[in-house]
């Protein structure tokens, strides 16, 4: 239950400016120029940046990406999920199929996702469509999770209202008593599984203190579009590459 003091009213009566907060001495990365693009498709370039983020100790969750979906009513929403795999087929993540994001995806499979690595002043923006992973792949990944995480997936009906956290703790305790036994497997919930985000565009953003940010975008060409090798360059695997103004 929520217990708030009845006598206290919280109001914000002024606009709070935070425009001067930026630390202009933080970012030291060099320019991301065309000659720096060693891959003609986005997944190889992503691997280069991701491995650098992964090796940076100050980045605690390099695989975290902000996933944006749109409801059937047209309202956008965003939340962070962990990317659990990537390759030429796309980017994988897992969730509860009864969650808000899953319901949005069911009605509109077009999504966007953004990785942001603050220390490196880099982000990767992805736009595309999602499709469910196979049940076999879901089960295979589920078995790699820690038992405590498997139990957590069984405990929570994600995005549904709940009276208090005590309810979750009670469910967790019951399941722990049943499944924290050597040799006994936690059954994968039928409403838990993964998605594959198949990109149609992937943009690599390298920030700079002077705001002349570098933006290199890989995308699928439009119908009838032909690379002119000036503004639009031919990549590999059906991709084209362009630089965008910051």
């Amino acid at each position: 239950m929520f217990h708030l003091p009845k006598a206290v009213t919280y109001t914000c009566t002024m606009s709070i400016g935070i425009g001067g907060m930026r630390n202009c001495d933080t970012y030291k990365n060099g320019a991301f120029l065309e000659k720096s693009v060693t891959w003609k498709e986005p997944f190889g370039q992503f691997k280069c940046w991701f491995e650098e983020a992964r090796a940076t100790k100050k980045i605690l969750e390099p695989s975290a990406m902000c996933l944006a979906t749109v409801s059937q009513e047209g309202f956008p929403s965003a939340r962070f999920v962990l990317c659990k795999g990537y390759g030429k087929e796309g980017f994988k993540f897992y969730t509860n199929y009864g969650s808000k994001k899953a319901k949005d995806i069911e009605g509109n499979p077009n999504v966007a996702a953004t990785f942001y690595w603050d220390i490196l002043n880099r982000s990767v923006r992805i736009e595309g469509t999602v499709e469910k992973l196979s049940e076999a792949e879901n089960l295979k990944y589920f078995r790699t999770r820690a038992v405590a995480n498997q139990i957590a997936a069984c405990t929570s009906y994600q995005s549904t209202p709940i009276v208090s956290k005590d309810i979750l703790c009670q469910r967790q305790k019951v399941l722990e008593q049943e499944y924290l036994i050597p040799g006994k497997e936690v059954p994968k919930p039928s409403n838990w599984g993964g998605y594959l985000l198949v990109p149609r565009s992937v943009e690599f953003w390298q920030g700079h203190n002077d705001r002349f940010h570098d933006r290199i975008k890989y995308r699928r060409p439009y119908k009838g579009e032909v690379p002119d090798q000036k503004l639009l360059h031919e990549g590999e695997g059906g991709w084209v590459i362009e630089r965008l103004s910051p």
Side-chain angles (χ1 to χ4, degrees):
M1 296 294 291
F2 295 98
H3 300 285
L4 299 176
K6 293 182 179 180
V8 179
T9 301
Y10 298 95
T11 59
C12 184
T13 58
M14 65 181 72
S15 175
I16 301 174
I18 57 174
M21 286 182 62
R22 187 170 188 184
N23 184 351
C24 292
D25 298 323
T26 300
Y27 307 117
K28 304 297 182 183
N29 273 357
F32 184 44
L33 303 177
E34 282 73 8
K35 64 182 180 182
S36 305
V37 179
T38 56
W39 293 87
K40 293 188 176 182
E41 45 80 18
F43 306 107
Q45 185 61 51
F46 179 83
K47 185 177 188 297
C48 290
W49 276 24
F50 180 76
E51 290 301 323
E52 189 172 343
R54 189 177 182 181
T56 303
K57 293 183 178 180
K58 290 185 178 180
I59 300 177
L60 302 181
E61 291 283 8
S63 63
M65 62 181 186
C66 186
L67 178 71
T69 58
V70 179
S71 70
Q72 294 186 34
E73 294 77 26
F75 294 106
S77 61
R79 78 290 291 160
F80 282 91
V81 299
L82 297 181
C83 177
K84 292 299 183 179
Y86 66 90
K88 291 189 176 181
E89 72 280 5
F91 301 82
K92 297 176 183 178
F93 64 95
Y94 293 83
T95 189
N96 187 303
Y97 286 149
S99 65
K100 170 71 166 60
K101 71 179 83 63
K103 291 179 180 178
D104 284 354
I105 288 170
E106 185 177 355
N108 182 355
N110 296 301
V111 305
T114 301
F115 292 84
Y116 178 57
W117 302 305
D118 176 59
I119 300 300
L120 301 175
N121 199 20
R122 285 175 174 171
S123 74
V124 179
R125 298 177 56 219
I126 304 161
E127 296 178 1
T129 58
V130 291
E131 56 191 47
K132 283 185 175 180
L133 296 175
S134 69
E135 190 62 15
E137 189 164 1
N138 290 340
L139 181 59
K140 181 180 179 180
Y141 172 69
F142 188 78
R143 289 284 165 248
T144 68
R145 305 181 86 202
V147 174
N149 291 347
Q150 294 180 21
I151 288 176
C154 299
T155 299
S156 176
Y157 307 115
Q158 195 176 116
S159 300
T160 60
I162 191 170
V163 173
S164 73
K165 192 173 182 177
D166 291 339
I167 302 297
L168 292 176
C169 294
Q170 291 169 10
R171 293 176 188 165
Q172 179 186 38
K173 186 175 181 180
V174 170
L175 291 172
E176 286 178 343
Q177 291 174 345
E178 183 174 357
Y179 292 109
L180 287 183
I181 300 172
K184 192 166 185 180
E185 288 187 338
V186 180
K188 185 191 77 65
S190 60
N191 64 343
W192 185 95
Y195 289 99
L196 176 68
L197 167 50
V198 181
R200 59 177 172 267
S201 71
V202 184
E203 179 188 324
F204 294 83
W205 179 91
Q206 175 68 68
H208 298 289
N209 296 335
D210 58 8
R211 292 197 56 78
F212 284 113
H213 311 310
D214 292 310
R215 299 175 63 189
I216 302 294
K217 183 176 182 178
Y218 297 76
R219 62 173 173 83
R220 296 300 188 185
Y222 307 128
K223 186 176 180 180
E225 189 175 34
V226 179
D228 60 6
Q229 304 306 327
K230 293 181 179 180
L231 291 177
L232 189 66
H233 303 271
E234 186 173 1
E236 294 177 351
W239 294 93
V240 294
I241 309 169
E242 60 191 353
R243 170 178 286 273
L244 302 180
S245 301

